[in-house]
Amino acid sequence: MLLTKSSLKNIHTTKVMVPNEAILELPEKVLQFGTGVLLRGLPGYFIDKANRKGIFNGRIVVVKSTDTGDVSEFDNQDSLYTLCMRGIVDGQQVQQNIICSSISRVLSATKNWESILQYAHNPDLTIVISNTTEVGIELVNESILLRPPVSYPGKLLALLYERYQAFKGNAQSGLVIVPTELISDNGNKLKTIILQLAQWNKLEKMFVDWLTTNNHFCNSLVDRIVPGKPNAAAKAVIEAELGYKDDLITMSEVYGLWAIEGDDHVKSILSFALADAGVVIAYDITIFKELKLRLLNGTHTLSCAVAFLAGFTTVKQAMDNALLTHFIKYLMIKEIAIAIPCPVPEKEASAFALKVLDRFSNPSLEHQWISITLNYTAKLKMRVVPVLQCYYRQYKTVPENMAIGFAAWLLFMKVVKKEGDIYLGELNGQNYPVKDEMAAYFFDLWQNLSPDNLVKAVLGNASLWDADLTLLDGFIEKVTDKLNAIMQHGMMAVLNNN
């Protein structure tokens, strides 16, 4: 039995929450660009929860923006999917299955563009959500008369212009637009690009005034690990337990945060926030961004090469090892949490850190260290270097575990060969991909410099960091010592002596 609208009445197990069929008839209030698992696991979940509570009472029209793949899986299941949440909360394991019914339909931008534009005429539409990856919010000078425009900002501007014309510039027809792409100030950046693109398309001033006055572009931050579809064996176990097939099964952790910058008007439109404390609407979400960026992302970034070189594949495996757990906890609590480069109350930083440790220990998520190494150098620059500099300003000494993290990163970036466009490192006779825009740079350095000179060249590369890290007293010496120790004795030996 496949999960569909008609099969809901045949699901009788108590192991999954089944939606009331009346929910499936709610009006379409949200337009979402992107079909990815993060949107299913976070905004889709929050809106579904609000609908169940009778709070928001609206569903989502999803736009598939890319040409790859199709929407048949959604069509076959009437856009229903099972969200399987697994995690640890306050040391206790939590497991919950929910059939999410927040998505009404999924349209292809390539095949259904006229239908998408027609949806702009719907007075129930009040919200636009997007997750088009970090490169999705980029300016592409293109006509919004294309069917469809290529870029996400182009598509969004075309939709907004269509709506402006349909409602003759009525102030009440403006939308709340919430991008969830993982870039800083994503709402502000999207608005800037939209205005530039409107100017490039020579759109009238009255439209631009409506655009800026009656539409609200909100910066937002999403925080939930959503690995997506389980492997075949795990999927079969879940389906056998629940009694139906579901090709859209989505795994996620229990923890979820969606922080959105907005005023009272935004709060009134995003009423689904009332259904879950994980949705926070505030005038300033800087503290949420800093906590996630430094304690979760920064710890991941400084730990991934350490764990990978120590022979661990997943985050959970590392958290099962006493040496790695000690390294990660000390790094997070004793080095990062005390040097976040913005005012964060110590109590809030500690509480967030403990939640992160629970999340790292989640036995149900196969979070691969190698996937965390994507764009490694840029992540170090954005997530870690400001913390390192702040630590030095406050304590004027070397943060030991940060130094180990930098040394492990340098060794991970030892590219040994190139196959086509792919750069490869080597660990215990096995190659691994180095997916980093600086891979060619490190390929050249490791071929031509000794480890000591390499550390000096990389840390002193001000164009790489927007700073000269060799000016941090003792840091270059500590990183060099740790790098040589890892190369001579192995990662576990260095952690054992730490």
Side-chain angles (χ1 to χ4, degrees):
M1 179 177 71
L2 183 67
L3 175 62
T4 63
K5 180 179 178 179
S6 62
S7 68
L8 288 176
K9 61 181 179 294
N10 299 319
I11 301 172
H12 304 297
T13 178
T14 58
K15 295 181 178 179
V16 62
M17 292 179 62
V18 181
N20 186 309
E21 289 195 19
I23 291 177
L24 304 180
E25 306 303 323
L26 291 174
E28 296 172 334
K29 292 185 176 182
V30 183
L31 182 64
Q32 173 182 299
F33 286 86
T35 59
V37 294
L38 177 64
L39 291 172
R40 276 181 260 162
L42 202 66
Y45 162 72
F46 286 134
I47 290 172
D48 179 79
K49 186 173 182 179
N51 288 340
R52 291 174 188 272
K53 292 185 174 184
I55 294 175
F56 180 64
N57 298 321
R59 301 182 79 204
I60 305 168
V61 175
V62 175
V63 176
K64 181 172 177 53
S65 297
T66 61
D67 292 331
T68 57
D70 57 31
V71 301
S72 60
E73 284 185 325
F74 290 92
D75 290 343
N76 293 341
Q77 297 186 188
D78 299 316
S79 298
L80 298 170
Y81 63 96
T82 309
L83 182 65
C84 302
M85 298 193 297
R86 307 286 187 268
I88 296 175
V89 179
D90 297 329
Q92 300 298 312
Q93 198 160 332
V94 176
Q95 179 174 314
Q96 190 175 21
N97 304 310
I98 301 167
I99 295 176
C100 285
S101 55
S102 51
I103 297 176
S104 173
R105 53 193 169 123
V106 179
L107 301 174
S108 164
T110 304
K111 299 175 182 177
N112 310 117
W113 185 242
E114 297 306 322
S115 296
I116 293 165
L117 288 179
Q118 189 59 40
Y119 179 47
H121 295 237
N122 190 333
D124 290 324
L125 174 62
T126 54
I127 302 166
V128 175
I129 300 170
S130 67
N131 194 301
T132 55
T133 77
E134 289 78 74
V135 297
I137 301 183
E138 295 291 344
L139 175 62
V140 177
N141 287 326
E142 59 179 336
S143 170
I144 62 168
L145 298 179
L146 293 173
R147 292 295 195 258
V150 175
S151 69
Y152 165 54
K155 292 181 178 73
L156 178 59
L157 180 59
L159 180 107
L160 290 169
Y161 192 60
E162 182 79 17
R163 189 167 179 84
Y164 167 78
Q165 292 179 310
F167 289 93
K168 298 180 172 54
N170 186 297
Q172 304 306 313
S173 63
L175 304 176
V176 172
I177 299 160
V178 190
T180 67
E181 287 82 356
L182 297 175
I183 57 175
S184 183
D185 296 326
N186 44 22
N188 292 340
K189 183 172 182 181
L190 178 59
K191 182 177 181 179
T192 298
I193 291 172
I194 290 290
L195 290 172
Q196 290 172 327
L197 194 55
Q199 183 178 21
W200 192 88
N201 277 269
K202 297 182 171 56
L203 300 180
E204 59 266 34
K205 182 179 183 301
M206 288 181 66
F207 165 72
V208 174
D209 290 342
W210 174 86
L211 178 66
T212 55
T213 304
N214 302 120
N215 294 272
H216 300 259
F217 291 78
C218 304
N219 296 324
S220 89
L221 168 76
V222 288
D223 187 5
R224 173 172 265 181
I225 298 170
V226 186
K229 189 179 292 187
N231 61 45
K235 180 175 182 288
V237 170
I238 294 170
E239 289 178 333
E241 182 179 46
L242 301 183
Y244 58 83
K245 288 182 61 63
D246 180 357
D247 292 325
L248 293 171
I249 283 181
T250 303
M251 306 297 296
S252 85
E253 65 175 335
V254 175
Y255 178 87
L257 171 68
W258 191 6
I260 303 166
E261 281 187 353
D263 56 16
D264 289 340
H265 171 74
V266 169
K267 285 184 180 181
S268 69
I269 298 299
L270 306 183
S271 59
F272 57 78
L274 298 171
D276 194 293
V279 185
V280 178
I281 302 175
Y283 287 103
D284 186 351
I285 62 170
T286 300
I287 188 170
F288 299 101
K289 291 192 293 186
E290 284 294 315
L291 286 171
K292 177 183 183 287
L293 185 66
R294 311 307 176 187
L295 291 173
L296 175 68
N297 301 135
T299 301
H300 262 159
T301 300
L302 281 167
S303 302
C304 58
V306 174
F308 183 81
L309 295 176
F312 298 100
T313 303
T314 68
V315 176
K316 176 60 172 60
Q317 288 174 351
M319 294 301 292
D320 286 338
N321 179 271
L323 288 177
L324 262 296
T325 297
H326 175 76
F327 172 84
I328 290 170
K329 283 184 176 179
Y330 192 95
L331 171 69
M332 187 188 302
I333 296 171
K334 299 296 185 180
E335 293 183 2
I336 297 177
I338 62 175
I340 295 174
C342 86
V344 177
E346 183 178 345
K347 187 176 179 180
E348 287 194 43
S350 298
F352 190 88
L354 292 175
K355 288 180 182 178
V356 170
L357 290 171
D358 273 348
R359 297 168 70 188
F360 283 5
S361 301
N362 190 342
S364 302
L365 297 183
E366 293 290 317
H367 204 181
Q368 306 282 322
W369 285 115
I370 193 68
S371 68
I372 300 172
T373 65
L374 180 68
N375 300 325
Y376 205 159
T377 305
K379 287 176 178 176
L380 270 178
K381 176 182 178 179
M382 181 175 68
R383 300 172 174 180
V384 175
V385 169
V387 178
L388 175 65
Q389 294 170 317
C390 188
Y391 187 96
Y392 260 92
R393 285 195 297 271
Q394 292 186 58
Y395 303 103
K396 296 178 174 56
T397 186
V398 180
E400 186 88 6
N401 284 14
M402 286 195 209
I404 292 175
F406 268 84
W409 160 70
L410 286 169
L411 186 54
F412 178 88
M413 296 296 295
K414 186 177 181 180
V415 176
V416 297
K417 62 179 177 179
K418 181 184 179 186
E419 294 182 354
D421 294 330
I422 301 174
Y423 292 90
L424 299 170
E426 183 181 311
L427 179 65
N428 299 327
Q430 299 292 319
N431 290 133
Y432 59 85
V434 178
K435 297 181 179 180
D436 190 293
E437 63 180 10
M438 300 302 298
Y441 168 74
F442 282 97
F443 189 21
D444 179 67
L445 287 186
W446 274 107
Q447 286 186 318
N448 294 291
L449 297 179
S450 67
D452 291 26
N453 287 330
L454 182 140
V455 174
K456 191 179 299 182
V458 174
L459 295 187
N461 187 342
S463 64
L464 194 62
W465 311 112
D466 292 335
D468 183 348
L469 301 186
T470 64
L471 299 178
L472 302 175
D473 190 31
F475 191 63
I476 187 173
E477 292 82 6
K478 182 67 72 173
V479 173
T480 302
D481 289 346
K482 297 299 182 184
L483 176 59
N484 286 319
I486 297 169
M487 295 178 71
Q488 293 171 21
H489 307 294
M491 192 73 248
M492 291 301 287
V494 171
L495 293 176
N496 193 45
N497 292 326
N498 186 31

